[in-house]
Amino acid sequence: MYCRYVIAGLAIGYLSLANTAANALAREDAIQLALEENPEVIAAQKAWEAARARSTQARALPDPELELEYEELPGMTRFGEFGERAFGVTQQLESPLKWWRRSSAASQAAEAVRLGVFEMTRLDISTRVKVAYDRVLFKVKRHEHIRQNLQLAEDFLNKAQLRLEAGDVPQLEVLRAEVEAGRAANRLSQARNEL
């Protein structure tokens, strides 16, 4: 009698698991969600964006310099009396080959960050999600098979009781069926806890 109450409680628990499984994500949806929301992927993407920004900065020309010169000043603080004043703007230009090599090296460094950090992080997260998803799927399937085993044990117990009432089998056969149904209920409880 105790086994039937345990089995009924497990059946209620299984219905709640079935409702959860109906709302479950597909494997590809879980991977996509993890890649969009994982902080490691977001940090790797920001590192890649920073490397691309450094690449853009490496292609820029150096800042121009403004020069202001006063000559023949009578003192350090008297700028009103000067002999000559000159304003100028200078811009350093390097050889085009040097500029091209520097910008090429910065672009390759940004690509290395994309491949070495961003893509590797995405692959790592994707692999971890696949493994976790497969483990959960395995435990769901295992739980389902154990539940079917419990159903078979209950059916066997019911048939053994009917055969006992008919006088075909001894009481020992019913006790064995009850023990097996209890074991199946325990295995189902363990599988549900693992799930």
Side-chain angles (χ1 to χ4, degrees):
M1 194 60 128
Y2 173 73
C3 287
R4 291 178 192 229
Y5 290 121
V6 170
I7 293 167
L10 291 175
I12 292 170
Y14 179 73
L15 290 176
S16 67
L17 285 174
N19 290 338
T20 304
N23 298 330
L25 292 172
R27 185 178 192 203
E28 295 305 317
D29 294 337
I31 293 169
Q32 187 63 34
L33 181 65
L35 291 177
E36 290 172 0
E37 302 293 328
N38 191 287
E40 292 177 38
V41 173
I42 294 170
Q45 184 176 7
K46 297 298 180 187
W48 177 40
E49 290 171 3
R52 284 191 319 193
R54 286 190 297 273
S55 171
T56 303
Q57 187 179 12
R59 283 191 289 275
L61 295 173
D63 292 336
E65 296 177 6
L66 176 65
E67 294 179 354
L68 178 61
E69 289 184 24
Y70 287 95
E71 294 182 5
E72 299 176 17
L73 288 174
M76 290 293 284
T77 58
R78 293 185 278 172
F79 292 108
E81 301 173 12
F82 56 88
E84 190 175 320
R85 175 175 60 187
F87 293 98
V89 175
T90 60
Q91 174 70 50
Q92 289 183 352
L93 294 175
E94 57 193 358
S95 74
L97 186 60
K98 184 177 179 182
W99 173 85
W100 180 77
R101 295 226 185 237
R102 187 179 69 237
S103 63
S104 176
S107 296
Q108 289 177 359
E111 184 66 13
V113 169
R114 183 184 73 82
L115 293 174
V117 177
F118 181 63
E119 291 298 328
M120 289 302 292
T121 303
R122 286 177 54 90
L123 284 173
D124 181 47
I125 297 300
S126 175
T127 303
R128 286 193 282 175
V129 169
K130 287 176 185 177
V131 168
Y133 188 90
D134 291 345
R135 284 182 180 161
V136 169
L137 185 61
F138 168 74
K139 289 180 181 181
V140 166
K141 293 292 184 184
R142 182 173 178 261
H143 182 271
E144 185 177 315
H145 289 297
I146 291 173
R147 186 188 57 78
Q148 290 173 356
N149 185 24
L150 175 63
Q151 185 64 39
L152 290 174
E154 288 177 344
D155 291 344
F156 185 72
L157 175 62
N158 290 336
K159 288 178 184 177
Q161 287 176 343
L162 290 175
R163 290 180 69 196
L164 175 68
E165 291 172 5
D168 289 344
V169 295
Q171 178 69 30
L172 182 62
E173 190 71 28
V174 174
L175 290 175
R176 285 182 185 162
E178 282 182 357
V179 167
E180 196 54 44
R183 286 180 181 166
N186 286 339
R187 285 191 297 266
L188 184 63
S189 177
Q190 286 176 339
R192 188 178 64 197
N193 288 341
E194 287 178 9
L195 181 62

